[in-house]
Amino acid sequence: MDARRGSLPVPRVRQVGFFTPNAQPAPTRSQSGPPDSSSPPLSDSPASNSLSPVMIPPPRHHSDNLAAAPRPTSPLPVPEPSPFRRRGADNNNALLVGSYNPAETLLAMSPSSSHVGDGESEETMSGGWFRRSNSGKLASSLPSGTFDFSPVQSTAEALKPNKVQNPVGISAPKEQQPEAPSSSKQPKPKLTKAERRALQESQRAAKAAAKAGGGKSVAAPEEVATIKSVKQHQTQKKDAPQVAVSVAASERKGGDKSQEKERRKDAPAPRMQFDDKSRVEKAKRRSVVDQTEAKKRVELFRHLPQYEHGTQLADLESKFLQLDPMHPAIYKVGLQYLAGDISGGNARCIAMLQAFQQVVKDYSTPPEKTLPRDLTAKISSYVSFFTQCRPLSMSMGNAIRFLKNRIAKLSPSLSESESKSSICTDIDRFINEKIVLADRVIVQHASSKVKDGDVLLVYGSSCVVEMVLLHSHELGKQFRVIVVDSRPKLEGKALLRRLVAKGVHCTYTHINAVSYVMHEVTKVFLGASSVLSNGTVYSRVGTACVAMVAHAFRVPVIICCEAYKFHERVQLDSICSNELGDPDAIGKVPGRMDVNYLNDVSNSGNLQLLNLMYDATPADYVSMIVTDYGMIPPTSVPVIVREYRRDHLLI
Amino acid sequence: MDFQVVVLAGGTSKELVPLVSKEVPKPLLPVANRPVLSYVLEQLELSNLKDLIVVVEGEDAALRVGGWISGAYVDRLHVEVAAVPEDVGTAGALRAIARHLTAKDILVVSGDLVSDVPPGAVAAAHRRHDAVVTSMICSTPVSGPVESGSVGAKDKIKKPRRFNIIGLDPTKQFLLYIASGAEVEKDLHIPKSILRAVGQMDIQADLMDAHMYAFKRAVLLEVLEQKQNFHSLRHDVLPYLVKTQLKSEILLNGTPQAEENGHDKVTSESNQTIISQILANASTPRFHEVYESIHNGSPTVQRTHKCCAYIASNSKYCARLNSIQAFSDINRDVIGEANHLSGYSFSVHNNIIHPSSELGSKTTVGPHCMLGEGSLMGDKCSVKRSVIGRHCRIGSNVKIVNSVVMDHVTLGDGSSIQGSIVCSNVQIQERVVLKDCQIGAGFVVSAGSEHKGESLTRKEK
């Protein structure tokens, strides 16, 4: 483990305190024993010896197995089940990390353990990259799955003969399997040994087939094998998000090829990198919205779209009647995105789906075309229009994927009106089941966590969190809410208004003061734009800050997020994928047009304004995620993503 | 996009009396040698709105307008010309064609609008806010001649109807108050509820209602039907809608939606409310919603509707030809600063001289001038900032400044025309001096006469 890897923000092992309601910590501040003793595991992993710059130093422990023992610093004993499980995880982990048994690369074949191919590529950046993602225990994060494998199997044999000792490779995972699943796959029903075995076998077969089909590796095999290759290192770095996405799509279930192919089709196209000039040009030619690129672009975020704000809306408005193929409902929603009339993941998703519903209702298949193909193409064009208005959130990507899948799966025997109505009901069901019902379930779960006398801290304005608060209030629980807000959007104000109107006791403050108010807080409830499969919570900018402060104060951080917002992507920072808001909004004070202190300097060349919209909260700072499938630790996100994805598509 | 366009072209307007006549109704008044209606039609055509209803007051005028449109736009536009009786007002005109209106939203454009503001922008603002009515508002055009006008001209600048008093919310998206300057004598009457709901209201007098509206069809028809005494869109319908926006008396489209979902179970209804709740919470609340939510508890549910304003940016040109002064202003602007509207390509000297026109020796045509087809000019003439129509015969030593000369006009030698409008077929004999005059069609100005600030018309026979 080199130092660089160690300094990465996502630590290797993550164990979460409560996963059952019983394990819930006492709400009162005095005994605020960390409900999730998520920090100690940090020190268990060798990687965490050097702390990442953003991390608040956890209490130090030196021994690997220490987690089993009650931590001396915590006033409360760690909840019962957790140490037990942690030991399991630690063992597993220790084996992986400590011994770079080459056979471990073959672990990827085992369906349940996710530690893939970090054996030999450790020196390369890519190795570190995967390692990190793996360490989040994401089953689905097999970027390395396709990436590292082929080198090993195809070309690395000559160089490192011991790598391909299959028997060893297989036997090793077998030993570990009984423990590995217990560490991360709580909510999932356990597979029997036989089942696991069968799955494993089938995957191995698939792998062999894939190998025979020719190296479909992402990078050139030889280069990887001669590990130090700088070239590969660079490609990897550059394509990192793409690889993560595309590979993640082909992850896991790769048992039968057809299914894998299908999944790849479902997967969203790799994100456009806006520092790639030729692609940007190409996209520009296609685009509907006339976007002038910002003159002063923030250097670090060149790969994200940075356009002049303010001109787009007027331009799009003036084209309103000229864009014939655009459905008015689509156009309206696009305008609303662009103007910021609709914000919030759920609302944007619902608005989009309802617009699509309208489109489907008004749709008639042109002659000599088939409905599934033509409608999918149409929807794709609408989606690209939405993307130009505002980058889509991941939840919307999931919804679009669902919709396209449904259209593609329409039986050809259906008549046009039948297919249309079937799509419409599908959309309705998605909205009802994935959003509305999910919200209800989340509210039920989360409000069970609200006790009398609690002081809850919420940040920004999340509709689920709001529902939780209101529902708890209706149940007659006595609690206080601290609404933390941040400029420039000040979304908390609206939430505050609604809460106060319902008679909830509230305190309103800005994020600058979060460390002061955190003393009295007993729980933090946060919403999320998306939860990634390494447990990273992607949410309104500032969420990470709140979560970290809460973590430092040993306040449990509860994320409320519908499962349709889960995404198999892995993201380690908020740089590679983010959204930039209007930079001028930072300098402005709402309601006071005359106050603009940055006016005089904003034209000078050495000032760049950065208005980030989202940030990524590492899983360590999250105690629990409340979803429609129950309350889970962030480590279990990949399980949900994997296990329910199929259901999700079929509904 | 589910928009239907109604162009209210008007008929023989009283305000333009010496200029318009039975032969030349208002829509056909030439602006830079093109009927004023063509500016609207072309702007609409640019926006892909090709199915239009043009409403003209009076049968004769309708025939003429229809004839011209079918000649000029035969392949390009699908225009229906409807004639309505005179003096029914704009509201009456819409009432008359109500059964032709089928689309979800109606775009009502005045036929005398000369503007380069895309109608799509108004439509988009309308749709975005789901408004009942959206009105295009532009800043008041600079009026009066460029050079210091005379006293007579100034009187016309002060035409009160040009100015509106317009109240907007702080985001400048919603219309809170509208009145034309003429109606306001001393005080404005603003409903307290609106002021309370909005909190802050900007009242501006430098804006003008450009008479381009997007209406929700259902609402428009309902209002027109209920309020039979409403005469004009601008004076009655729009102020009514704006005034009642917080206690809406019109049935909004909320009911049909509820019926649609009616066949589902009760659960889905509650789901619907949750969805709408999510949507409402996520969007930035407008004062309408805030007001509604405050009054939700009261037994009588307060319904609101939104009246939006689309404010054209200052760089756009927007003017209405509704007075004589406006006529000369627009003529000046269209060949001057807003020359992209005219559709002509300007020469290097920044003027347009038709190749078939003939100029005598030592005759100069300055910049911002236009000389129509087949016009003849004698020697030593000088034309500045003026429009001269087709087949005019202009003698020697004639000075034309800041004027509009229409078609088939004969100007005698040595005459001088300044700031005037000379209609078609006028004969002006030698050494006539005209300043700020309007000469009606077919009039003969006798030799050597001098007029200042007068309006001369032939007596109707």
Side-chain angles (χ1 to χ4, degrees):
Chain A
M1 282 289 164
D2 52 13
R4 191 173 25 151
R5 196 178 301 163
S7 70
L8 290 166
V10 177
R12 297 218 56 242
V13 182
R14 170 78 189 81
Q15 203 48 64
V16 172
F18 44 76
F19 51 95
T20 56
N22 315 350
Q24 170 64 16
T28 47
R29 187 73 195 100
S30 57
Q31 16 158 225
S32 73
D36 68 314
S37 46
S38 56
S39 45
L42 285 179
S43 49
D44 296 342
S45 94
S48 66
N49 284 339
S50 64
L51 286 169
S52 80
V54 285
M55 250 159 45
I56 295 142
R60 301 299 310 269
H61 302 288
H62 49 277
S63 102
D64 256 356
N65 247 349
L66 190 87
R71 294 182 309 136
T73 45
S74 77
L76 258 199
V78 180
E80 195 53 34
S82 133
F84 167 69
R85 251 199 330 288
R86 179 176 306 130
R87 184 169 14 197
D90 284 343
N91 287 345
N92 186 14
N93 200 39
L95 239 176
L96 261 179
V97 175
S99 71
Y100 283 105
N101 180 357
E104 272 173 28
T105 44
L106 298 170
L107 266 175
M109 287 181 176
S110 89
S112 46
S113 117
S114 63
H115 308 279
V116 189
D118 41 9
E120 77 284 347
S121 58
E122 52 188 296
E123 282 105 327
T124 62
M125 176 59 191
S126 56
W129 194 262
F130 295 140
R131 161 68 76 175
R132 277 182 289 156
S133 43
N134 284 338
S135 59
K137 283 190 217 91
L138 16 138
S140 61
S141 80
L142 305 190
S144 39
T146 47
F147 175 70
D148 271 334
F149 240 108
S150 45
V152 175
Q153 299 215 328
S154 54
T155 60
E157 284 150 294
L159 294 166
K160 302 195 174 177
N162 61 333
K163 287 238 148 119
V164 201
Q165 286 164 5
N166 260 349
V168 184
I170 290 164
S171 64
K174 254 192 244 162
E175 283 155 21
Q176 291 182 16
Q177 266 167 21
E179 291 193 345
S182 75
S183 72
S184 57
K185 320 246 154 62
Q186 273 323 308
K188 173 189 127 185
K190 269 194 178 180
L191 296 168
T192 68
K193 210 162 192 173
E195 281 170 336
R196 232 178 290 135
R197 191 65 180 270
L199 195 50
Q200 201 176 343
E201 287 296 334
S202 73
Q203 280 186 326
R204 202 173 307 143
K207 189 87 24 150
K211 186 185 153 195
K216 48 160 187 171
S217 58
V218 178
E222 289 89 356
E223 307 275 272
V224 184
T226 58
I227 281 154
K228 293 261 164 67
S229 120
V230 188
K231 192 172 155 200
Q232 190 256 323
H233 164 96
Q234 279 171 343
T235 37
Q236 180 57 34
K237 214 170 175 183
K238 203 174 85 189
D239 295 343
Q242 270 137 303
V243 171
V245 171
S246 63
V247 172
S250 66
E251 42 93 14
R252 214 55 213 162
K253 297 244 160 106
D256 43 346
K257 249 189 144 185
S258 67
Q259 195 182 0
E260 191 173 319
K261 213 183 232 170
E262 206 165 78
R263 296 196 127 225
R264 192 164 291 161
K265 202 173 63 191
D266 292 339
R271 290 209 164 195
M272 196 163 99
Q273 299 295 300
F274 282 80
D275 42 1
D276 186 345
K277 284 232 171 63
S278 62
R279 285 203 181 182
V280 170
E281 281 302 312
K282 225 182 263 173
K284 216 172 197 175
R285 256 175 275 140
R286 283 195 306 258
S287 82
V288 177
V289 187
D290 209 6
Q291 292 162 318
T292 43
E293 266 163 45
K295 278 180 238 90
K296 285 187 297 179
R297 296 200 282 174
V298 184
E299 204 52 44
L300 185 58
F301 292 93
R302 265 191 182 279
H303 58 287
L304 299 175
Q306 294 187 36
Y307 294 117
E308 290 285 0
H309 284 255
T311 58
Q312 300 169 14
L313 181 63
D315 185 75
L316 192 60
E317 277 191 335
S318 62
K319 280 195 200 152
F320 181 63
L321 297 163
Q322 292 164 18
L323 295 167
D324 245 350
M326 207 59 75
H327 192 276
I330 298 287
Y331 210 102
K332 180 182 167 185
V333 174
L335 278 176
Q336 286 174 330
Y337 286 169
L338 189 54
D341 287 350
I342 300 182
S343 60
N346 280 345
R348 276 167 71 196
C349 194
I350 292 175
M352 180 188 72
L353 286 174
Q354 284 178 339
F356 281 147
Q357 211 171 9
Q358 207 59 47
V359 168
V360 172
K361 270 181 195 154
D362 297 348
Y363 175 82
S364 66
T365 318
E368 297 181 18
K369 287 196 176 161
T370 56
L371 181 133
R373 279 175 180 273
D374 190 53
L375 193 57
T376 315
K378 265 214 153 96
I379 283 178
S380 300
S381 74
Y382 296 151
V383 168
S384 73
F385 169 72
F386 282 147
T387 321
Q388 284 159 25
C389 292
R390 189 180 160 186
L392 298 184
S393 67
M394 291 183 215
S395 54
M396 289 160 79
N398 282 343
I400 291 163
R401 210 197 296 188
F402 158 79
L403 179 61
K404 283 192 179 170
N405 200 287
R406 294 302 301 170
I407 295 174
K409 289 224 170 100
L410 279 177
S411 132
S413 60
L414 288 180
S415 74
E416 186 179 311
S417 61
E418 279 170 334
S419 348
K420 275 163 66 177
S421 68
S422 125
I423 298 169
C424 284
T425 41
D426 279 337
I427 294 175
D428 263 337
R429 283 180 60 191
F430 187 89
I431 295 176
N432 283 336
E433 289 176 15
K434 293 288 163 191
I435 302 176
V436 177
L437 266 176
D439 280 351
R440 263 189 219 161
V441 176
I442 291 172
V443 167
Q444 293 295 335
H445 282 305
S447 51
S448 72
K449 294 283 162 227
V450 180
K451 302 276 175 347
D452 280 347
D454 263 353
V455 179
L456 310 177
L457 185 141
V458 300
Y459 174 70
S461 170
S462 153
C463 67
V464 197
V465 170
E466 182 187 347
M467 286 186 224
V468 170
L469 297 177
L470 292 179
H471 185 253
S472 311
H473 182 69
E474 277 165 24
L475 291 180
K477 293 183 178 168
Q478 297 298 315
F479 61 94
R480 222 150 57 75
V481 177
I482 297 178
V483 179
V484 178
D485 207 353
S486 70
R487 285 194 10 87
K489 287 197 125 186
L490 296 179
E491 291 161 313
K493 274 185 177 175
L495 172 70
L496 184 76
R497 193 180 289 276
R498 294 192 287 267
L499 289 179
V500 169
K502 290 273 160 65
V504 182
H505 290 283
C506 293
T507 309
Y508 179 75
T509 184
H510 274 207
I511 195 163
N512 331 18
V514 71
S515 60
Y516 297 94
V517 296
M518 199 56 85
H519 286 286
E520 50 173 343
V521 173
T522 55
K523 278 178 199 97
V524 175
F525 277 94
L526 296 172
S529 163
S530 178
V531 177
L532 308 174
S533 60
N534 57 346
T536 301
V537 174
Y538 186 72
S539 186
R540 167 74 60 222
V541 67
T543 307
C545 168
V546 172
M548 285 180 202
V549 174
H551 182 261
F553 280 83
R554 310 219 173 285
V555 177
V557 175
I558 299 166
I559 303 282
C560 299
C561 182
E562 299 86 351
Y564 86 100
K565 291 180 177 173
F566 287 12
H567 200 277
E568 61 229 350
R569 180 186 301 172
V570 170
Q571 204 173 315
L572 302 168
D573 53 36
S574 40
I575 295 172
C576 65
S577 155
N578 208 322
E579 189 184 334
L580 298 179
D582 183 5
D584 295 328
I586 293 184
K588 283 186 183 134
V589 180
R592 292 288 304 275
M593 288 304 167
D594 48 325
V595 180
N596 193 351
Y597 296 116
L598 293 180
N599 235 357
D600 42 346
V601 285
S602 62
N603 288 327
S604 81
N606 43 15
L607 172 69
Q608 293 168 331
L609 298 172
L610 174 65
N611 183 8
L612 274 182
M613 300 285 271
Y614 294 99
D615 66 9
T617 311
D620 296 86
Y621 304 110
V622 177
S623 320
M624 177 168 83
I625 298 177
V626 186
T627 79
D628 24 341
Y629 297 119
M631 292 179 274
I632 57 166
T635 43
S636 302
V637 173
V639 183
I640 300 257
V641 171
R642 184 183 64 227
E643 293 301 319
Y644 290 95
R645 178 64 75 207
R646 193 185 272 161
D647 301 348
H648 170 83
L649 291 174
L650 295 176
I651 276 209
Chain B
M1 284 293 171
D2 210 12
F3 264 92
Q4 208 169 6
V5 184
V6 178
V7 181
L8 298 175
T12 48
S13 162
K14 285 190 197 77
E15 284 139 30
L16 294 165
V17 128
L19 308 184
V20 297
S21 59
K22 282 228 168 68
E23 289 79 37
V24 186
K26 181 177 160 188
L28 298 184
L29 267 184
V31 170
N33 291 341
R34 261 170 58 187
V36 61
L37 188 59
S38 68
Y39 291 89
V40 171
L41 296 186
E42 262 158 45
Q43 194 64 39
L44 292 170
E45 191 190 5
L46 267 183
S47 295
N48 240 346
L49 294 165
K50 299 195 170 151
D51 287 306
L52 317 173
I53 301 177
V54 175
V55 185
V56 185
E57 280 183 1
E59 293 284 342
D60 286 353
L63 272 181
R64 284 176 194 279
V65 172
W68 169 75
I69 289 176
S70 56
Y73 294 98
V74 62
D75 292 329
R76 293 153 64 190
L77 295 174
H78 178 254
V79 181
E80 236 176 278
V81 180
V84 294
E86 290 184 39
D87 294 328
V88 291
T90 44
L94 282 178
R95 237 175 246 136
I97 58 155
R99 63 200 156 77
H100 294 294
L101 303 178
T102 50
K104 188 177 161 220
D105 292 291
I106 312 286
L107 196 66
V108 181
V109 190
S110 166
D112 58 6
L113 183 69
V114 178
S115 156
D116 53 359
V117 181
V122 180
H126 182 69
R127 276 286 162 80
R128 179 157 76 88
H129 293 294
D130 202 18
V132 156
V133 58
T134 302
S135 165
M136 183 168 99
I137 286 172
C138 57
S139 44
T140 331
V142 189
S143 182
V146 179
E147 291 149 36
S148 59
S150 66
V151 187
K154 266 188 184 151
D155 280 351
K156 272 158 206 148
I157 299 167
K158 287 290 173 202
K159 274 227 175 252
R161 293 192 53 191
R162 286 284 291 272
F163 293 103
N164 289 104
I165 310 271
I166 288 171
L168 297 165
D169 78 316
T171 60
K172 300 210 184 294
Q173 288 176 321
F174 295 101
L175 207 53
L176 304 177
Y177 181 78
I178 186 160
S180 58
E183 288 168 10
V184 178
E185 282 137 17
K186 252 184 169 175
D187 9 78
L188 309 176
H189 295 280
I190 298 164
K192 238 191 227 167
S193 58
I194 292 183
L195 210 51
R196 217 180 284 139
V198 186
Q200 189 185 338
M201 178 169 171
D202 295 352
I203 295 185
Q204 289 181 293
D206 58 342
L207 295 176
M208 181 183 87
D209 178 9
H211 219 271
M212 182 194 281
Y213 308 111
F215 281 103
K216 220 173 236 180
R217 180 184 60 100
V219 171
L220 177 65
L221 295 187
E222 191 182 323
V223 170
L224 289 178
E225 196 177 311
Q226 279 179 1
K227 313 275 178 182
Q228 285 294 338
N229 56 342
F230 278 5
H231 186 75
S232 142
L233 282 182
R234 187 165 43 147
H235 297 298
D236 302 319
V237 178
L238 186 61
Y240 167 77
L241 285 174
V242 169
K243 212 161 72 187
T244 59
Q245 57 184 319
L246 287 186
K247 17 183 194 300
S248 176
E249 292 159 23
I250 45 181
L251 290 166
L252 283 179
N253 50 354
T255 37
Q257 271 180 7
E259 280 162 24
E260 265 176 42
N261 306 323
H263 59 82
D264 284 54
K265 280 174 265 167
V266 188
T267 50
S268 88
E269 262 173 41
S270 64
N271 282 354
Q272 291 296 334
T273 57
I274 291 180
I275 290 171
S276 56
Q277 184 79 35
I278 290 174
L279 284 177
N281 287 353
S283 55
T284 29
R286 308 290 175 197
F287 64 92
H288 294 101
E289 285 101 13
V290 172
Y291 185 84
E292 258 180 357
S293 65
I294 290 170
H295 291 265
N296 252 353
S298 60
T300 52
V301 179
Q302 297 277 5
R303 268 203 308 265
T304 61
H305 59 248
K306 291 178 186 169
C307 301
C308 291
Y310 174 80
I311 301 182
S313 73
N314 276 336
S315 59
K316 298 281 187 192
Y317 184 78
C318 182
R320 288 192 61 205
L321 203 168
N322 52 4
S323 67
I324 290 169
Q325 182 60 49
F327 179 76
S328 47
D329 288 343
I330 290 172
N331 264 300
R332 179 198 68 211
D333 291 338
V334 165
I335 55 168
E337 52 202 47
N339 56 24
H340 56 281
L341 276 171
S342 63
Y344 298 104
S345 52
F346 283 71
S347 72
V348 278
H349 302 295
N350 216 357
N351 54 16
I352 310 158
I353 298 174
H354 199 274
S356 63
S357 58
E358 285 172 31
L359 302 182
S361 64
K362 290 192 179 169
T363 287
T364 55
V365 178
H368 305 305
C369 284
M370 182 170 190
L371 196 55
E373 158 193 4
S375 288
L376 304 175
M377 291 189 81
D379 303 339
K380 293 184 184 170
C381 292
S382 144
V383 181
K384 285 178 191 162
R385 297 180 170 276
S386 300
V387 179
I388 297 173
R390 299 177 189 89
H391 306 292
C392 293
R393 300 173 160 276
I394 295 168
S396 319
N397 234 339
V398 175
K399 265 180 87 176
I400 303 174
V401 181
N402 280 332
S403 301
V404 179
V405 176
M406 296 185 197
D407 304 343
H408 305 287
V409 174
T410 314
L411 288 175
D413 296 349
S415 49
S416 155
I417 297 169
Q418 216 183 342
S420 302
I421 300 164
V422 180
C423 290
S424 304
N425 302 322
V426 169
Q427 267 199 342
I428 293 177
Q429 293 170 345
E430 289 88 39
R431 298 181 309 283
V432 171
V433 178
L434 296 176
K435 205 171 177 202
D436 305 319
C437 292
Q438 296 90 41
I439 318 288
F443 193 78
V444 181
V445 186
S446 54
S449 56
E450 221 171 283
H451 298 279
K452 203 173 168 189
E454 285 176 63
S455 169
L456 308 170
T457 36
R458 203 165 43 154
K459 281 207 181 78
E460 295 290 327
K461 282 159 206 164

